[in-house]
């Protein structure tokens, strides 16, 4: 039993090294993203024309698309190899972070400034000292 575990550990380490050495590139008009087989971003190149052009605001989505495409290519190569390592069973999904609970306060708290005299500086209406 321990030999089987040691063999799997060795194969997993070899696969991890192979995936770390692999490179996957995705390009679009303005951005080039390079990730390794594990999906780690190794390089991100942005063309000079994108920075000097009239639509700099579109650069963010271009970056996201390039990185996502490169990571998708890496996952398509790695998934079958990982599945084979685990005897044809799919590896479990990574745990997801819980989303924060929505706030129960639906209306923003508003403060009334009707009782404050901004011109004379009169804060005698039970306002804390030093507030303004």
């Amino acid at each position: 039993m321990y030999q089987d575990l040691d063999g799997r550990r060795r194969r997993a380490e070899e696969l991890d090294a192979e995936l770390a050495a692999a490179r996957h590139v995705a390009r679009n008009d303005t951005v080039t993203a390079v990730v390794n087989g594990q999906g780690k971003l190794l390089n991100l190149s942005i063309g000079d024309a994108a920075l000097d052009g009239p639509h700099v605001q579109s650069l963010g989505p271009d970056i996201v698309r390039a990185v996502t495409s490169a990571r998708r290519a890496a996952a398509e190569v790695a998934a079958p190899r990982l599945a084979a390592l685990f005897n044809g069973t799919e590896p479990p999904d990574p745990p997801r972070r819980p989303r924060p609970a929505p706030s129960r306060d639906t209306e923003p708290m508003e403060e009334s400034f009707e009782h404050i005299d901004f011109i004379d500086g009169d804060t005698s209406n039970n306002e804390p000292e030093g507030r303004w």
Side-chain angles (χ1 to χ4, degrees):
M1 179 174 157
Y2 291 115
Q3 291 175 349
D4 185 44
L5 290 176
D6 289 338
R8 280 190 188 207
R9 181 179 303 125
R10 182 183 45 74
R11 288 191 305 269
E13 289 171 354
E14 290 170 358
L15 179 57
D16 188 49
E18 288 175 25
L19 293 176
R23 300 293 181 260
H24 301 275
V25 179
R27 293 181 178 88
N28 58 34
D29 295 337
T30 57
V31 178
T32 301
V34 180
V35 301
N36 67 9
Q38 299 164 329
K40 293 180 182 175
L41 182 62
L42 301 176
N43 190 14
L44 183 69
S45 301
I46 300 171
D48 291 335
L51 298 174
D52 296 334
H55 302 289
V56 177
Q57 70 274 12
S58 68
L59 190 56
D62 287 345
I63 292 171
V64 171
R65 278 192 293 274
V67 172
T68 302
S69 179
R71 285 184 172 159
R72 186 177 301 119
E76 287 174 359
V77 172
R81 299 186 70 197
L82 287 168
L85 179 66
F86 292 101
N87 291 329
T89 60
E90 292 293 323
D93 291 333
R96 296 180 185 232
R97 292 184 181 176
R99 293 186 180 186
S103 174
R104 294 177 189 239
D105 299 329
T106 57
E107 296 181 24
M109 294 181 61
E110 293 185 18
E111 186 173 357
S112 173
F113 296 103
E114 293 176 5
H115 62 279
I116 299 174
D117 184 358
F118 289 103
I119 296 175
D120 294 331
D122 179 20
T123 59
S124 61
N125 295 335
N126 298 328
E127 288 296 318
E129 187 65 33
R131 179 169 178 185
W132 306 103

